[in-house]
Structure formats: C-alpha cells, structure tokens
Amino acid sequence: MIAVQGLAGARVAVLGLGRSGLSAARALAEGGAVPLCWDDTPSARERAEAEGFQCQPFRDARDFDGIARLIVSPGIPHLYPAPNPVVAAAYLAGVPVDNDIGLFFQSFATSAWHSFDVAPRVVAVTGSNGKSTTSALIHHILTDVGRPCQLAGNIGRGVLDIDAPHDGEVVVLELSSYQTDLARSLTPDIAVFTNLSPDHLDRHAGMGGYFAAKRRLFAEGGPDRAVIGVDEPEGRYLAGQLSEGPSDDRVIRVSVEARLTGPGWQVFARKGYLSEYRKGKQTASIDLRHVPGLPGAHNHQNACAAYAACRSLGLAPKVIEKAFHSFAGLPHRSQLVGEKDGVKFVNDSKATNVDAAAKALSAFDRVRWICGGLEKEGGLGALGDAPTVRKAYVIGREAAGFAMQLPVEAEVCTTMEKAVAQAVAEAEPGDVVLLAPAAASFDQYDNFEKRGDAFVAEVKKYL
C-alpha cells in the first residue's frame, strides 16, 4: 500500500466507496489521516463500516467544516454534465477536490528512496483506445527482461493498493480521462498518449474538454519524456506544445498512418513493420506481422507506443522484440477465442466506441461483425464503408435503430445468443466472427467484460 503523505491528522472526506474509494480511505488512514466516507449505496457504506471507517453524509457546505480535502471516485461527475451535489458543496466550502491518482503522485516518493541506487519511475498511459493493451504490453516487456515492475490504475490494482516500490522499480499506470481530469498532482516520468477519438463527451462537455482532460497528464505533469501518437490533429498539437524544436528527443512521435521523418525521435509502423528513427537515421526494425498477440494496425500502434516507452527506459530493441512474441494479449481486446472449420472467433468487447470498432474491423479481411449496444454521441459515421464486413449481426435493446445506420448488410438479432448462432450458420472458411460493438454495454450488460464473457460462452457452445 502507498500511505498518503501530507495529510496526517487531517479529516478527509471520501465520496464513492468502490475499489478506488475504499483504497483511498485505507491509504489515508495508513498515512495518519482521518477518512470520513460516504456512498449513496447502503451496501457500500456497510463494507466501509465493516473495515472500521466512519460514514457520514455531506449535504451542504456546512458539512465540510474542518475537512481538508474531498477525494472523489472516478465515476462521479465533478463538473459536467453537472457536479455531484457533494462535490458542489465542497466547491462552495472552498475545500480542494482530488482523487486517488492525485494522492498517489503526492505520496509515491518517500525518504526511503535516498538509499536506492536507481529511483523508481512511473510510466503513465492515456488515450481513447489501446491504453490498456499498451500498459499491459509495457508491463509484460519489463517483466520479460527481469525488471521489477507493477501494473495499476484503470487496469490491474488500484494505484494506492500497490506495494511500496523497490530500488529501480517501474510502475506502469493506465489512466482514463476521468482520472487525469481531476488529479491535483500528475508527475509521471514517462507519459504516453495513444490516440484520441470521441468518447465520454457528456462527461467532458465535448471533444475540447475530453482532450483537455488527457492533455493534463502532460501539461501539468511535465514528464521527462512524452510518447505521443500523432495520427490525429490533437496528438500533433500536443507534440508541438511539448517540443522545443524538431530535434527535441524528449518527445517521441508515434504513427501507424505515416512514415515519420525529421531529426527527432520517431517510431512508426507501416505494412506490419515497426521502425525506429533517431536523428534522421533508422536504428531498429521489427516485423510485427507474425506477433500473435498484436494483430492489426491498431495493435501495431500499441506496439509502437510500448516500444517507445521501453526504449526510454533503456531497453534494447532485440529484447523488446523477443517480449512482443510472448505477449498473449488481454481478454476482450482482439482476443482469439478459438477456430473451427476455418472460421476464427475474436472477442473485442472493449471496442466500445466507433473508432475502436473501425480499427478492429480493419485488422481482418472477411468479417461477420457482431455489434450494437448503447450508442454513444457522434453516431456511426466514422465507420466509413466498413469494406471488410460481409454482414453485421446487431445486438442491444435499440438494435433496429443501430442497424439502420450501418453501411453494410445487417440483421437485427437483439441477443448475443442469436447473433452468434446466426453468424456461425452463415460463416464460411476464412471468415472471422468478430465482436466489436462500437457501443457501450449498459443496455444489456453491467460492463464490457460481461458482454465479452457472453460472447465467449456462446462461441464455446459451437467450438
């Protein structure tokens, strides 16, 4: 556990008692603070009270008398579409609002580091798509070469639940826009920006607010090195803002859409080959076409970002390449479930927005596409013509309306059971039955993992 520093003896309010909220309460108590907790759900309060934490409501500004800080869980709105009433009361009372990520960066370094030969480092990864795979891949590479490391944040353990770092250890964090938007302290050593596409727009009042939340990791944190995906205008803008000039190698530009040139540091993938260029000269090349855990251009982008981060940590290209081949991928992210009679079944339930789904579709030549769910803002226009799709099988409560927007032949199936059964019945050797919903899961499932599990269960009936 990372004990929170700087708040010993202070009364600190904690709003939301899920994984991150309870973790924050424990870390605050470990550091000598007095956490006062609240969650609207009685069962959540009961869990906190069972651990010995005091629960009390915060109805208005007067309830914040004597409170040093409010710690808010990531799912609770703090600004858009409207602040949660407790957060609004804290603002009125002048109480600083923070989250567990802010507490982590405030508390990560300790006096114990004075005895270390190599100070621990933090690699923080954000972006719309690919941040989980990129984070897990960085962690896998470091583990493969024997470098001590931990994986936390939006993937793996809560940031305050990790062990106190050892000499030379690397902590890899996946951070969502919800987490970077509110954290009062953001100081990673290496920060990674994968890409940007419309997502969570209601929570950030549009694309500008969404990008601003991601940008805070770089603008507020001032990382020693920034790895920036430059295939969107926002990434190119961010790289330009952080760089002192074309040869400034503190910024590593990453692309899967263009061959990057210039005197700086670039990593890009073209036609399945990853290339690294520094000072205008190629320094490494890796064939990604036969890396089983990283299929498709979108995963090649993840590979480029992870490669750049690991090169920043001093790893050699050959050891990174070796680790690529043993990376199994993550569940629900281009996960190969199985193959039968020449038909592959791939679970990409994490493709919850249109851009992620489009990238998943482009990874295969002949797709039987299972899609649908709770449609997000912006519609489905970014899919384009979806040329690799032979037919779509649409699930979700609003399946008919979703199907009408698709640029391909579509059948309304509503349920996962029917969609898989129909895709299996019509699939031919060489086809890929792909779950890439391009939508949230909450109309039918608690989360994308449950949706992916449902797909896997139906496929296994056939396999």
Side-chain angles (χ1 to χ4, degrees):
M1 176 180 291
I2 304 296
V4 172
Q5 299 184 57
L7 290 169
R11 299 168 72 239
V12 179
V14 178
L15 179 63
L17 297 172
R19 184 187 71 162
S20 66
L22 270 179
S23 172
R26 296 182 191 114
L28 285 162
E30 185 72 15
V34 181
L36 303 173
C37 304
W38 186 254
D39 192 298
D40 290 339
T41 305
S43 58
R45 297 197 299 270
E46 290 170 3
R47 286 194 298 271
E49 288 170 343
E51 292 193 32
F53 295 118
Q54 179 182 343
C55 290
Q56 68 176 55
F58 296 88
R59 300 183 181 88
D60 55 42
R62 291 170 297 181
D63 291 328
F64 282 92
D65 288 346
I67 299 295
R69 196 176 300 184
L70 170 64
I71 307 302
V72 180
S73 293
I76 298 172
H78 60 272
L79 186 56
Y80 302 114
N84 178 279
V86 175
V87 177
Y91 292 154
L92 286 173
V95 171
V97 179
D98 203 350
N99 62 12
D100 61 330
I101 305 302
L103 293 178
F104 168 83
F105 280 110
Q106 170 183 322
S107 309
F108 184 56
T110 69
S111 58
W113 290 21
H114 294 311
S115 63
F116 291 170
D117 292 328
V118 178
R121 305 185 77 186
V122 176
V123 179
V125 182
T126 195
S128 295
N129 301 310
K131 57 185 178 293
S132 294
T133 297
T134 300
S135 301
L137 182 55
I138 294 169
H139 179 261
H140 171 79
I141 294 167
L142 292 168
T143 301
D144 193 69
V145 302
R147 187 86 172 259
C149 59
Q150 299 183 68
L151 179 64
N154 209 40
I155 185 174
R157 303 162 73 182
V159 292
L160 294 169
D161 283 334
I162 69 170
D163 300 325
H166 300 298
D167 192 334
E169 190 163 18
V170 178
V171 175
V172 184
L173 302 181
E174 180 200 337
L175 300 180
S176 72
S177 59
Y178 291 3
Q179 294 169 311
T180 58
D181 196 18
L182 189 59
R184 293 173 61 86
S185 179
L186 286 167
T187 54
D189 298 283
I190 299 169
V192 180
F193 176 84
T194 58
N195 50 57
L196 196 79
S197 61
D199 208 355
H200 311 302
L201 299 188
D202 59 333
R203 183 65 183 267
H204 299 292
M207 279 294 286
Y210 179 46
F211 174 54
K214 301 286 189 186
R215 183 177 177 273
R216 288 191 77 247
L217 182 63
F218 303 84
E220 303 290 334
D224 296 332
R225 180 153 281 127
V227 177
I228 309 292
V230 295
D231 288 336
E232 294 87 27
E234 293 87 353
R236 294 189 285 274
Y237 166 82
L238 182 58
Q241 287 279 298
L242 296 171
S243 175
E244 293 295 331
S247 61
D248 186 354
D249 67 0
R250 293 174 302 172
V251 176
I252 306 177
R253 291 168 171 84
V254 167
S255 176
V256 290
E257 294 184 0
R259 182 182 183 275
L260 301 178
T261 59
W265 194 349
Q266 294 98 14
V267 179
F268 59 89
R270 300 281 286 165
K271 298 181 179 179
Y273 285 88
L274 180 154
S275 297
E276 178 188 4
Y277 275 74
R278 298 187 73 171
K279 299 180 180 178
K281 296 181 180 180
Q282 185 171 9
T283 56
S285 177
I286 297 175
D287 185 352
L288 299 173
R289 294 172 301 169
H290 305 296
V291 178
L294 297 167
H298 60 307
N299 275 309
H300 293 172
Q301 183 182 57
N302 300 333
C304 287
Y307 175 92
C310 290
R311 291 286 284 137
S312 297
L313 291 167
L315 274 62
K318 287 296 183 183
V319 301
I320 299 173
E321 180 178 11
K322 173 180 171 291
F324 278 169
H325 285 275
S326 59
F327 180 64
L330 291 176
H332 314 296
R333 299 162 177 87
S334 297
Q335 174 193 10
L336 178 63
V337 179
E339 183 175 357
K340 184 176 180 181
D341 297 333
V343 178
K344 292 182 178 179
F345 297 86
V346 177
N347 167 24
D348 204 339
S349 184
K350 186 61 172 67
T352 59
N353 59 50
V354 173
D355 185 66
K359 289 176 178 176
L361 293 173
S362 69
F364 306 102
D365 294 327
R366 295 164 47 185
V367 178
R368 302 280 174 178
W369 180 28
I370 298 177
C371 59
L374 191 62
E375 186 179 337
K376 294 188 174 181
E377 290 186 35
L380 304 177
L383 281 171
D385 295 333
T388 65
V389 176
R390 303 192 72 186
K391 184 177 177 180
Y393 306 83
V394 186
I395 63 173
R397 294 179 185 171
E398 304 297 329
F402 197 96
M404 289 178 64
Q405 300 180 64
L406 296 178
V408 297
E409 179 187 355
E411 180 173 342
V412 175
C413 297
T414 306
T415 67
M416 186 70 74
E417 181 180 16
K418 183 177 178 182
V420 172
Q422 196 64 23
V424 165
E426 297 177 359
E428 300 172 354
D431 286 353
V432 174
V433 176
L434 171 68
L435 171 65
S441 60
F442 305 125
D443 60 331
Q444 290 183 309
Y445 301 97
D446 290 342
N447 49 52
F448 73 85
E449 293 97 339
K450 293 289 179 64
R451 177 172 58 191
D453 291 342
F455 172 76
V456 171
E458 293 301 326
V459 169
K460 286 187 174 179
K461 293 179 184 177
Y462 170 68
L463 296 178

